[in-house]
Amino acid sequence: MNHCELEEVTHHINNKISMIKRLLELRAVAKDPDKRRTLLKIEQEVAAINELLDRFERYVGQQRDLLKHLKDLEGFFQEDEQDAHHLKNNTPPHMPKRGQQAAPQGGGQVAVQSRQTDAPPAPQEQGPPRKHQRNQIKEMEFITVPEFDSIPPYMKGRVTYDQLNAAVQSINTAVTSKYKILHQSVKTLNNVSRTLHQRFKDQETKDTKGQFFIVELDIREFTQLKVDKRFVGMLNMLRHCQRLKEVRGGGLTRFILL
């Protein structure tokens, strides 16, 4: 046995001897009634402290679980915040902003209104209010994401969801501009609008009675949308989604809103 091991054994034996002496002293003290009451009081205080420590330990455990729960909630909130920022930065162009109405694309409608600045306002007794007339004009509903996904790839080509709904908005602009003129009394129109009014009437047939429709010339007149092969493809997509149908006759193709 080396020197270090001998010191450890000696220290251990000395601790045992000191503990035995302390126990003997306490045994002697316990025989004294006054000191015994003091020891019992100390025992009660130690028991109360142990109970308090147990309560603190349970409370710390509860707070630890609550902290874990709050961290999980923080993660969920961060995901929701990221989703909200993504939605804010990727809002489809055809959707109106809060507190605003969807602005029509193209300048055709503005041009027609500017042509009518010299026309007197329509008397109230000659027709329903303009607000009521606007409510009567039918508009095409925007394409939903599931509807867009249902379109065959060969039909979609490279057209995106936003581009297709931009075409929907342009068609709605043309329909609204056309039927605003049709809903006015001919007497209130200037020469340019009166010519358009007559053209619209001449394009109507028994198949379009009670329907809202436009032709390619209306799209050129009231929007900035190019009527090309790509636009024809988008019309096919809209027919697939049951937003419009075609009626041909008299050298014209009429696009009727469904």
Side-chain angles (χ1 to χ4, degrees):
M1 181 179 295
N2 56 33
H3 177 71
C4 293
E5 292 176 346
L6 182 60
E7 283 187 353
E8 290 179 0
V9 172
T10 302
H11 181 69
H12 179 69
I13 293 174
N14 289 335
N15 287 338
K16 290 294 184 180
I17 293 172
S18 298
M19 184 179 297
I20 293 171
K21 287 181 179 181
R22 191 174 298 110
L23 290 174
L24 291 174
E25 291 173 357
L26 290 174
R27 184 178 181 184
V29 169
K31 294 179 180 180
D32 188 336
D34 294 334
K35 294 179 179 179
R36 185 177 179 83
R37 284 194 297 269
T38 302
L39 289 176
L40 291 175
K41 186 176 181 180
I42 292 173
E43 181 183 7
Q44 294 174 356
E45 295 292 338
V46 171
I49 291 174
N50 285 333
E51 183 181 356
L52 184 61
L53 290 175
D54 290 340
R55 291 172 58 187
F56 278 140
E57 186 176 358
R58 290 195 298 268
Y59 180 75
V60 170
Q62 293 173 356
Q63 294 300 311
R64 188 180 293 111
D65 294 339
L66 180 59
L67 179 61
K68 182 179 181 301
H69 180 64
L70 291 175
K71 287 183 178 180
D72 292 339
L73 287 179
E74 182 183 15
F76 294 144
F77 285 139
Q78 288 177 350
E79 291 179 1
D80 291 341
E81 184 180 13
Q82 292 175 357
D83 292 342
H85 283 300
H86 177 76
L87 291 174
K88 179 181 178 182
N89 297 330
N90 295 274
T91 303
H94 64 273
M95 294 185 64
K97 303 297 183 181
R98 184 175 62 178
Q100 297 179 352
Q101 294 182 348
Q105 294 183 349
Q109 182 179 355
V110 177
V112 172
Q113 291 176 349
S114 64
R115 296 171 189 167
Q116 299 178 10
T117 53
D118 57 334
Q124 291 293 329
E125 61 272 10
Q126 293 185 5
R130 294 180 60 85
K131 182 177 180 181
H132 182 59
Q133 292 175 357
R134 278 200 302 270
N135 293 336
Q136 287 183 333
I137 298 176
K138 183 175 182 178
E139 290 188 351
M140 184 185 301
E141 294 183 358
F142 288 109
I143 302 299
T144 64
V145 174
E147 287 177 321
F148 183 78
D149 293 338
S150 71
I151 300 174
Y154 76 88
M155 189 179 296
K156 280 192 289 192
R158 302 179 67 179
V159 176
T160 65
Y161 172 78
D162 290 336
Q163 290 171 342
L164 182 59
N165 274 318
V168 172
Q169 188 168 354
S170 294
I171 291 174
N172 286 338
T173 298
V175 173
T176 302
S177 301
K178 170 184 176 179
Y179 283 92
K180 277 185 177 180
I181 295 176
L182 278 174
H183 286 170
Q184 294 187 49
S185 172
V186 178
K187 296 179 180 180
T188 65
L189 300 176
N190 58 22
N191 293 332
V192 175
S193 297
R194 192 171 300 175
T195 301
L196 290 174
H197 189 281
Q198 186 59 48
R199 189 186 81 192
F200 299 152
K201 286 293 186 180
D202 293 340
Q203 293 171 350
E204 294 179 352
T205 66
K206 62 178 182 179
D207 295 326
T208 63
K209 185 177 181 180
Q211 306 288 335
F212 290 85
F213 74 94
I214 55 173
V215 299
E216 288 187 4
L217 188 58
D218 298 329
I219 297 172
R220 300 179 191 274
E221 179 80 26
F222 299 114
T223 74
Q224 295 178 345
L225 196 62
K226 293 182 179 180
V227 183
D228 52 13
K229 183 178 180 180
R230 183 168 176 271
F231 177 70
V232 172
M234 287 191 285
L235 291 177
N236 291 332
M237 296 166 65
L238 294 176
R239 283 199 302 272
H240 174 82
C241 294
Q242 298 183 355
R243 290 298 190 275
L244 54 80
K245 67 177 180 179
E246 291 184 4
V247 173
R248 301 175 184 271
L252 285 176
T253 301
R254 298 161 180 82
F255 305 106
I256 300 177
L257 273 62
L258 298 177

